[in-house]
């Protein structure tokens, strides 16, 4: 078995991997800064949080609705053709916002509608790189693609990657694509976690210093710079499939139960995030210590980053459906004490426990989404998952706010517990259906061996 960081080292040594991962990570930091940057800018202009909230809400809705449409265009025409156009449109929308040439709400909606889904584009590249061809080599590991059979007719398989020679002369551990793909999605989750930990803090520093426009400009610069870096890398871009394959795939796979289950789980996970954020803030304010919210968030975020790193660094046996069900089942009792605990240390410990399960759910949702749809609609599938999570978070913020007003922070945490329970039901349903699907194959194979 490789050492703990070996999976990540193998991934980033794979030809072309670091070249697209790093600019995508830079752009992701800008994406994490954009929403809170809008909030600071509009509040500075109007002096009203209500107006700032409306603009930020319009931005979030436009991002959630238009993200999958951008993903569809990427699947149809390719990343290298669509992404530059989206970045030009995003730059124009940000310019309208900063100059005041359009009403803030209109400009905010346009900023959200043109925001490129760099995380989905990066995840699609990992999928194409690690399991895109019938047989390829990844950093010394010869693999046979588990996804080769679902490449639509007319699609061009991803070219085989040449294996690099380790500079230290040591032999590179042989690692299958089934191990490396979850590690790649864990790396994506780590980059996302760091971005959403550092990005809002950075733009808030600029906003508090009286320069909210600089925060929005910096966010746009990171998005556009990272996106252009990604768009310029043609070799690792997923191939475009034939129109007939896209039509058939879109009709069958995106409406299939396997993908819809993962989208539903993403929606519930978004509800969990939104309800937890509102409830943590309400808990801290209710105790008269609003500054305590920051370390409570930090406890959850830090354990989440550590758990995501550890999960991606290891090797895991068994079905990903079962692992997803186990993670969801652990999340529910972990957040249940939040509905009655009062001591800050106890609340922080409970939040830290919930942070252990969340990255595992995120990684496995990506793994199972990738396995549930053909490559012809993979980018669109990833963006639908992101949109579902964003929609759940936005809806939960409103719902948990009402619940907190009526019953306090503990009642808000109960909304998060309910979301975790829904995730458990969905994940268990997937594991049961997977087992039932495999059972006839096992029975038929056993019968065939007994025949003379």
């Amino acid at each position: 078995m490789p050492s703990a960081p070996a999976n990540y080292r193998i991934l980033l040594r794979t030809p072309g991997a670091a070249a697209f991962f790093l600019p995508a990570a830079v752009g992701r930091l800008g994406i994490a800064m954009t929403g809170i940057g809008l909030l600071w800018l509009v509040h500075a202009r109007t002096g009203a949080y209500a107006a700032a909230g409306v603009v930020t809400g319009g931005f979030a809705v436009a991002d959630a609705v238009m993200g999958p449409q951008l993903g569809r265009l990427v699947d149809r025409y390719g990343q290298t053709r669509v992404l530059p156009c989206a970045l030009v449109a995003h730059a124009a929308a940000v310019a309208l916002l900063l100059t005041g040439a359009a009403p803030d709400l209109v400009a905010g909606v346009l900023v959200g509608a043109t925001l490129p889904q760099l995380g989905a584009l990066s995840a699609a590249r990992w999928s194409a790189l690690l399991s895109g061809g019938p047989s390829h080599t990844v950093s010394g590991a010869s693999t046979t693609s588990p996804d080769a059979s679902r490449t639509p007719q007319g699609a061009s398989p991803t070219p085989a990657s040449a294996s690099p020679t380790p500079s230290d002369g040591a032999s590179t551990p042989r690692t299958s694509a089934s191990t490396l793909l979850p590690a790649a999605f864990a790396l994506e989750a780590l980059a996302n976690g760091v971005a959403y930990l550092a990005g809002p803090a950075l733009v808030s520093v600029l906003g508090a210093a009286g320069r909210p426009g600089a925060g929005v400009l910096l966010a746009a610069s990171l998005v556009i710079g990272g996106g252009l870096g990604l768009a310029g890398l043609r070799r690792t871009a997923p191939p475009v499939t034939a129109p007939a394959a896209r039509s058939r795939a879109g009709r069958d796979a995106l409406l299939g139960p396997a993908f819809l289950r993962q989208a539903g789980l993403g929606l519930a996970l978004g509800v969990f995030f939104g309800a937890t954020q509102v409830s943590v803030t309400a808990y801290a304010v209710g105790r008269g210590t609003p500054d305590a919210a920051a370390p409570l968030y930090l406890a959850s975020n830090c354990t989440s980053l550590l758990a995501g790193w550890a999960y991606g660094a290891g090797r895991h046996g068994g079905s990903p459906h079962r692992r997803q069900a186990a993670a969801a089942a652990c999340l529910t009792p972990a957040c249940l004490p939040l509905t009655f605990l009062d001591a800050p240390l106890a609340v922080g410990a409970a939040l830290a426990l919930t942070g252990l399960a969340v990255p595992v759910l995120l990684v496995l949702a990506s793994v199972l989404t990738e396995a549930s749809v053909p490559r012809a609609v993979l980018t669109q599938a990833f963006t639908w998952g992101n949109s579902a999570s964003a929609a759940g978070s936005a809806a939960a913020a409103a719902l948990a706010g009402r619940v907190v007003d009526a019953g306090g922070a503990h009642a808000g945490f109960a909304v998060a517990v309910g979301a975790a329970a829904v995730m458990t039901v969905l994940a268990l349903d997937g594991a049961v259906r997977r087992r039932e699907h495999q059972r006839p194959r096992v029975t038929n194979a056993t019968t065939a061996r007994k025949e003379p």
Side-chain angles (χ1 to χ4, degrees), residues 351-445:
L351 288 170
L353 284 177
T354 65
L356 295 176
V358 166
V360 180
L361 289 169
L362 289 171
V363 171
L364 290 172
S366 295
V367 169
L368 293 174
T369 295
E370 194 269 350
S372 67
V373 299
R375 203 162 306 284
V377 293
L378 184 57
T379 307
Q380 192 178 349
F382 280 136
T383 54
W384 273 119
N386 293 342
S387 294
S389 180
S393 182
L399 174 63
R402 290 175 177 265
V403 171
V404 165
D405 285 341
H410 288 158
F413 283 124
V415 176
V417 173
V422 170
M423 282 186 274
T424 303
V425 172
L426 289 172
L428 285 173
D429 177 69
V432 170
R433 289 179 183 273
R434 175 68 174 174
R435 185 173 58 189
E436 291 176 349
H437 178 70
Q438 290 180 325
R439 188 176 299 159
R441 296 183 180 180
V442 175
T443 303
N444 293 337

Side-chain angles (χ1 to χ4, degrees), residues 31-406:
I31 291 172
M33 297 169 62
T34 303
I36 189 70
L38 286 177
L39 186 70
W40 276 101
L41 179 63
V42 177
H43 178 262
R45 286 178 175 175
T46 64
Y49 280 110
V54 168
V55 174
T56 305
F59 159 82
V61 170
D63 181 31
V65 171
M66 294 305 297
Q69 312 315 315
L70 181 61
R72 175 188 286 180
L73 291 175
V74 168
D75 285 330
R76 183 172 183 177
Y77 298 108
Q79 292 189 15
T80 57
R81 294 177 65 184
V82 174
L83 187 52
C85 298
L87 292 170
V88 169
H90 184 66
V94 172
L96 287 176
L97 177 70
L98 290 176
T99 60
D104 288 340
L105 179 58
V106 173
V109 168
L110 290 175
V111 169
T114 57
L115 189 66
Q117 301 287 329
L118 299 181
L121 301 185
S122 182
R125 288 192 183 226
W126 280 119
S127 177
L129 186 65
L130 299 178
S131 60
S135 179
H136 56 283
T137 303
V138 180
S139 287
S142 177
T143 66
T144 300
S145 170
D147 190 54
S149 62
R150 64 186 183 92
T151 302
Q153 188 176 2
S156 300
T158 302
S161 300
S163 173
T165 302
S167 58
D168 58 3
S171 61
T172 305
R174 298 177 67 83
T175 309
S176 67
S178 61
T179 298
L180 288 179
L181 196 56
F185 290 146
L187 197 60
E188 289 287 305
L190 279 171
N192 203 55
V194 171
Y196 279 90
L197 190 62
L202 178 59
V203 78
S204 294
V205 167
L206 291 172
R211 304 184 65 186
V216 173
L217 183 60
L218 177 59
S221 300
L222 292 173
V223 171
I224 294 169
L228 288 175
L230 192 63
L233 301 170
R234 296 178 177 273
R235 187 168 68 88
T236 54
V240 178
T241 58
R246 286 195 304 271
S247 175
R248 189 167 57 248
R251 183 175 59 251
D252 297 338
L254 291 176
L255 295 178
F259 171 71
L260 291 178
R261 187 182 301 112
Q262 296 308 313
L265 196 142
L267 180 68
L269 190 57
V271 172
F272 176 84
F273 286 145
T276 300
Q277 289 171 356
V278 171
S279 302
V280 167
T281 302
Y283 167 80
V285 171
R287 289 182 58 86
T289 54
D291 291 343
L296 290 175
Y297 286 132
L298 191 63
S300 177
N301 289 336
C302 287
T303 55
S304 182
L305 290 174
L306 289 173
W309 178 87
Y311 184 81
R315 286 177 137 180
H316 310 280
S319 164
H321 293 83
R322 277 190 245 171
R323 295 200 298 273
Q324 187 181 61
C330 290
L331 180 61
T332 304
C335 60
L336 188 60
L338 292 170
T339 61
F340 58 83
L341 290 175
D342 286 317
L345 287 178
V347 170
L351 288 170
L353 284 177
T354 65
L356 295 176
V358 166
V360 180
L361 289 169
L362 289 171
V363 171
L364 290 172
S366 295
V367 169
L368 293 174
T369 295
E370 194 269 350
S372 67
V373 299
R375 203 162 306 284
V377 293
L378 184 57
T379 307
Q380 192 178 349
F382 280 136
T383 54
W384 273 119
N386 293 342
S387 294
S389 180
S393 182
L399 174 63
R402 290 175 177 265
V403 171
V404 165
D405 285 341

